[in-house]
mmCIF file of all heavy atoms in Angstrom:
data_model
loop_
_atom_site.group_PDB
_atom_site.id
_atom_site.type_symbol
_atom_site.label_atom_id
_atom_site.label_comp_id
_atom_site.label_asym_id
_atom_site.label_seq_id
_atom_site.Cartn_x
_atom_site.Cartn_y
_atom_site.Cartn_z
ATOM 1 N N LYS W 1241 -14.731 -1.377 2.089
ATOM 2 C CA LYS W 1241 -13.340 -1.527 2.517
ATOM 3 C C LYS W 1241 -12.450 -0.842 1.500
ATOM 4 O O LYS W 1241 -12.708 -0.907 0.303
ATOM 5 C CB LYS W 1241 -12.959 -3.017 2.586
ATOM 6 C CG LYS W 1241 -13.720 -3.785 3.668
ATOM 7 C CD LYS W 1241 -12.880 -3.976 4.904
ATOM 8 C CE LYS W 1241 -13.656 -4.480 6.089
ATOM 9 N NZ LYS W 1241 -14.098 -5.828 6.003
ATOM 10 N N CYS W 1242 -11.412 -0.168 1.992
ATOM 11 C CA CYS W 1242 -10.443 0.468 1.103
ATOM 12 C C CYS W 1242 -9.225 -0.440 0.965
ATOM 13 O O CYS W 1242 -8.867 -1.140 1.910
ATOM 14 C CB CYS W 1242 -9.977 1.806 1.686
ATOM 15 S SG CYS W 1242 -11.288 3.028 1.848
ATOM 16 N N TYR W 1243 -8.624 -0.413 -0.186
ATOM 17 C CA TYR W 1243 -7.338 -1.085 -0.344
ATOM 18 C C TYR W 1243 -6.499 -0.314 -1.343
ATOM 19 O O TYR W 1243 -7.007 0.554 -2.054
ATOM 20 C CB TYR W 1243 -7.482 -2.565 -0.702
ATOM 21 C CG TYR W 1243 -8.234 -2.892 -1.964
ATOM 22 C CD1 TYR W 1243 -7.563 -3.193 -3.144
ATOM 23 C CD2 TYR W 1243 -9.622 -2.946 -1.977
ATOM 24 C CE1 TYR W 1243 -8.261 -3.523 -4.296
ATOM 25 C CE2 TYR W 1243 -10.319 -3.277 -3.127
ATOM 26 C CZ TYR W 1243 -9.626 -3.564 -4.276
ATOM 27 O OH TYR W 1243 -10.302 -3.900 -5.412
ATOM 28 N N CYS W 1244 -5.206 -0.595 -1.340
ATOM 29 C CA CYS W 1244 -4.265 0.196 -2.129
ATOM 30 C C CYS W 1244 -3.730 -0.554 -3.336
ATOM 31 O O CYS W 1244 -3.742 -1.780 -3.383
ATOM 32 C CB CYS W 1244 -3.084 0.615 -1.242
ATOM 33 S SG CYS W 1244 -3.598 1.572 0.185
ATOM 34 N N LEU W 1245 -3.231 0.222 -4.285
ATOM 35 C CA LEU W 1245 -2.583 -0.348 -5.461
ATOM 36 C C LEU W 1245 -1.267 -0.971 -5.030
ATOM 37 O O LEU W 1245 -0.717 -0.630 -3.974
ATOM 38 C CB LEU W 1245 -2.324 0.749 -6.503
ATOM 39 C CG LEU W 1245 -3.570 1.391 -7.131
ATOM 40 C CD1 LEU W 1245 -3.204 2.684 -7.822
ATOM 41 C CD2 LEU W 1245 -4.217 0.428 -8.104
ATOM 42 N N ASN W 1246 -0.761 -1.856 -5.854
ATOM 43 C CA ASN W 1246 0.512 -2.502 -5.540
ATOM 44 C C ASN W 1246 1.611 -1.447 -5.365
ATOM 45 O O ASN W 1246 1.688 -0.492 -6.115
ATOM 46 C CB ASN W 1246 0.874 -3.476 -6.673
ATOM 47 C CG ASN W 1246 2.163 -4.202 -6.392
ATOM 48 O OD1 ASN W 1246 2.442 -4.536 -5.240
ATOM 49 N ND2 ASN W 1246 2.959 -4.424 -7.412
ATOM 50 N N GLY W 1247 2.414 -1.628 -4.354
ATOM 51 C CA GLY W 1247 3.503 -0.691 -4.074
ATOM 52 C C GLY W 1247 3.122 0.365 -3.060
ATOM 53 O O GLY W 1247 3.914 1.231 -2.720
ATOM 54 N N TYR W 1248 1.870 0.310 -2.567
ATOM 55 C CA TYR W 1248 1.389 1.256 -1.562
ATOM 56 C C TYR W 1248 0.913 0.516 -0.322
ATOM 57 O O TYR W 1248 0.527 -0.642 -0.394
ATOM 58 C CB TYR W 1248 0.235 2.100 -2.119
ATOM 59 C CG TYR W 1248 0.682 3.085 -3.168
ATOM 60 C CD1 TYR W 1248 0.866 2.689 -4.498
ATOM 61 C CD2 TYR W 1248 0.943 4.408 -2.827
ATOM 62 C CE1 TYR W 1248 1.293 3.588 -5.459
ATOM 63 C CE2 TYR W 1248 1.365 5.321 -3.790
ATOM 64 C CZ TYR W 1248 1.535 4.909 -5.103
ATOM 65 O OH TYR W 1248 1.955 5.806 -6.044
ATOM 66 N N MET W 1249 0.951 1.216 0.785
ATOM 67 C CA MET W 1249 0.560 0.637 2.048
ATOM 68 C C MET W 1249 -0.663 1.363 2.590
ATOM 69 O O MET W 1249 -0.728 2.595 2.539
ATOM 70 C CB MET W 1249 1.727 0.765 3.043
ATOM 71 C CG MET W 1249 1.511 0.043 4.337
ATOM 72 S SD MET W 1249 2.926 0.238 5.414
ATOM 73 C CE MET W 1249 4.205 -0.538 4.490
ATOM 74 N N LEU W 1250 -1.651 0.597 3.090
ATOM 75 C CA LEU W 1250 -2.861 1.189 3.664
ATOM 76 C C LEU W 1250 -2.526 1.755 5.040
ATOM 77 O O LEU W 1250 -2.054 1.057 5.916
ATOM 78 C CB LEU W 1250 -3.976 0.139 3.771
ATOM 79 C CG LEU W 1250 -5.347 0.652 4.205
ATOM 80 C CD1 LEU W 1250 -5.945 1.589 3.154
ATOM 81 C CD2 LEU W 1250 -6.295 -0.503 4.464
ATOM 82 N N MET W 1251 -2.786 3.028 5.216
ATOM 83 C CA MET W 1251 -2.513 3.702 6.479
ATOM 84 C C MET W 1251 -3.755 3.652 7.382
ATOM 85 O O MET W 1251 -4.858 3.444 6.893
ATOM 86 C CB MET W 1251 -2.103 5.169 6.220
ATOM 87 C CG MET W 1251 -0.916 5.322 5.278
ATOM 88 S SD MET W 1251 0.504 4.282 5.689
ATOM 89 C CE MET W 1251 1.217 5.246 7.012
ATOM 90 N N PRO W 1252 -3.580 3.856 8.706
ATOM 91 C CA PRO W 1252 -4.730 3.798 9.627
ATOM 92 C C PRO W 1252 -5.881 4.742 9.264
ATOM 93 O O PRO W 1252 -7.037 4.456 9.538
ATOM 94 C CB PRO W 1252 -4.136 4.177 10.991
ATOM 95 C CG PRO W 1252 -2.674 3.838 10.869
ATOM 96 C CD PRO W 1252 -2.329 4.092 9.434
ATOM 97 N N ASP W 1253 -5.577 5.888 8.603
ATOM 98 C CA ASP W 1253 -6.640 6.840 8.247
ATOM 99 C C ASP W 1253 -7.294 6.514 6.897
ATOM 100 O O ASP W 1253 -8.118 7.276 6.385
ATOM 101 C CB ASP W 1253 -6.088 8.272 8.236
ATOM 102 C CG ASP W 1253 -5.020 8.501 7.162
ATOM 103 O OD1 ASP W 1253 -4.617 7.523 6.486
ATOM 104 O OD2 ASP W 1253 -4.603 9.662 6.993
ATOM 105 N N GLY W 1254 -6.936 5.364 6.295
ATOM 106 C CA GLY W 1254 -7.532 4.933 5.034
ATOM 107 C C GLY W 1254 -6.820 5.424 3.793
ATOM 108 O O GLY W 1254 -7.192 5.076 2.683
ATOM 109 N N THR W 1255 -5.767 6.260 3.963
ATOM 110 C CA THR W 1255 -5.006 6.730 2.802
ATOM 111 C C THR W 1255 -3.964 5.677 2.410
ATOM 112 O O THR W 1255 -3.709 4.731 3.149
ATOM 113 C CB THR W 1255 -4.306 8.076 3.104
ATOM 114 O OG1 THR W 1255 -3.410 7.879 4.211
ATOM 115 C CG2 THR W 1255 -5.303 9.166 3.433
ATOM 116 N N CYS W 1256 -3.359 5.878 1.243
ATOM 117 C CA CYS W 1256 -2.348 4.948 0.747
ATOM 118 C C CYS W 1256 -1.001 5.669 0.670
ATOM 119 O O CYS W 1256 -0.898 6.738 0.078
ATOM 120 C CB CYS W 1256 -2.736 4.432 -0.630
ATOM 121 S SG CYS W 1256 -4.262 3.473 -0.614
ATOM 122 N N ALA W 1257 -0.006 5.077 1.282
ATOM 123 C CA ALA W 1257 1.332 5.672 1.278
ATOM 124 C C ALA W 1257 2.270 4.796 0.448
ATOM 125 O O ALA W 1257 2.216 3.570 0.528
ATOM 126 C CB ALA W 1257 1.861 5.787 2.706
ATOM 127 N N SER W 1258 3.114 5.466 -0.358
ATOM 128 C CA SER W 1258 4.070 4.741 -1.189
ATOM 129 C C SER W 1258 5.039 3.977 -0.297
ATOM 130 O O SER W 1258 5.512 4.476 0.715
ATOM 131 C CB SER W 1258 4.828 5.732 -2.071
ATOM 132 O OG SER W 1258 5.758 5.039 -2.852
ATOM 133 N N SER W 1259 5.288 2.744 -0.665
ATOM 134 C CA SER W 1259 6.174 1.919 0.157
ATOM 135 C C SER W 1259 7.057 1.060 -0.741
ATOM 136 O O SER W 1259 6.570 0.281 -1.552
ATOM 137 C CB SER W 1259 5.335 1.024 1.079
ATOM 138 O OG SER W 1259 6.115 0.008 1.617
ATOM 139 N N ARG W 1260 8.350 1.226 -0.578
ATOM 140 C CA ARG W 1260 9.312 0.457 -1.375
ATOM 141 C C ARG W 1260 9.190 -1.026 -1.032
ATOM 142 O O ARG W 1260 9.220 -1.885 -1.905
ATOM 143 C CB ARG W 1260 10.731 0.970 -1.089
ATOM 144 C CG ARG W 1260 11.738 0.601 -2.164
ATOM 145 C CD ARG W 1260 13.079 1.213 -1.867
ATOM 146 N NE ARG W 1260 13.673 0.705 -0.627
ATOM 147 C CZ ARG W 1260 14.321 -0.468 -0.548
ATOM 148 N NH1 ARG W 1260 14.465 -1.210 -1.618
ATOM 149 N NH2 ARG W 1260 14.841 -0.873 0.595
ATOM 150 N N THR W 1261 8.978 -1.316 0.255
ATOM 151 C CA THR W 1261 8.882 -2.716 0.686
ATOM 152 C C THR W 1261 7.617 -3.365 0.113
ATOM 153 O O THR W 1261 7.644 -4.506 -0.315
ATOM 154 C CB THR W 1261 8.892 -2.837 2.227
ATOM 155 O OG1 THR W 1261 7.995 -1.876 2.759
ATOM 156 C CG2 THR W 1261 10.255 -2.635 2.806
ATOM 157 N N CYS W 1262 6.486 -2.617 0.072
ATOM 158 C CA CYS W 1262 5.254 -3.160 -0.503
ATOM 159 C C CYS W 1262 5.437 -3.452 -1.987
ATOM 160 O O CYS W 1262 4.952 -4.452 -2.491
ATOM 161 C CB CYS W 1262 4.099 -2.175 -0.321
ATOM 162 S SG CYS W 1262 3.155 -2.452 1.193
ATOM 163 N N ALA W 1263 6.119 -2.568 -2.673
ATOM 164 C CA ALA W 1263 6.355 -2.743 -4.106
ATOM 165 C C ALA W 1263 7.163 -4.008 -4.363
ATOM 166 O O ALA W 1263 6.943 -4.718 -5.339
ATOM 167 C CB ALA W 1263 7.071 -1.528 -4.667
ATOM 168 N N MET W 1264 8.080 -4.316 -3.456
ATOM 169 C CA MET W 1264 8.927 -5.505 -3.618
ATOM 170 C C MET W 1264 8.133 -6.789 -3.389
ATOM 171 O O MET W 1264 8.351 -7.795 -4.044
ATOM 172 C CB MET W 1264 10.115 -5.443 -2.639
ATOM 173 C CG MET W 1264 11.194 -4.456 -3.089
ATOM 174 S SD MET W 1264 12.237 -3.832 -1.765
ATOM 175 C CE MET W 1264 12.864 -5.307 -1.038
ATOM 176 N N VAL W 1265 7.170 -6.754 -2.448
ATOM 177 C CA VAL W 1265 6.392 -7.960 -2.121
ATOM 178 C C VAL W 1265 5.345 -8.267 -3.188
ATOM 179 O O VAL W 1265 5.002 -9.412 -3.428
ATOM 180 C CB VAL W 1265 5.720 -7.809 -0.717
ATOM 181 C CG1 VAL W 1265 4.858 -9.001 -0.390
ATOM 182 C CG2 VAL W 1265 6.781 -7.631 0.348
ATOM 183 N N ASN W 1266 4.831 -7.221 -3.895
ATOM 184 C CA ASN W 1266 3.868 -7.376 -4.984
ATOM 185 C C ASN W 1266 2.545 -7.986 -4.509
ATOM 186 O O ASN W 1266 2.118 -9.031 -4.987
ATOM 187 C CB ASN W 1266 4.495 -8.202 -6.125
ATOM 188 C CG ASN W 1266 3.705 -8.080 -7.410
ATOM 189 O OD1 ASN W 1266 2.953 -7.138 -7.593
ATOM 190 N ND2 ASN W 1266 3.864 -9.053 -8.291
ATOM 191 N N CYS W 1267 1.893 -7.308 -3.550
ATOM 192 C CA CYS W 1267 0.604 -7.769 -3.015
ATOM 193 C C CYS W 1267 -0.543 -7.384 -3.944
ATOM 194 O O CYS W 1267 -0.497 -6.332 -4.572
ATOM 195 C CB CYS W 1267 0.326 -7.136 -1.648
ATOM 196 S SG CYS W 1267 1.518 -7.566 -0.371
#
């Protein structure tokens, strides 16, 4: 399974896209 660093969102193709909202939630 792939997962992303904090502040990034997992995209359907498995890549990680920078996301301001993800960075705020701190997953």
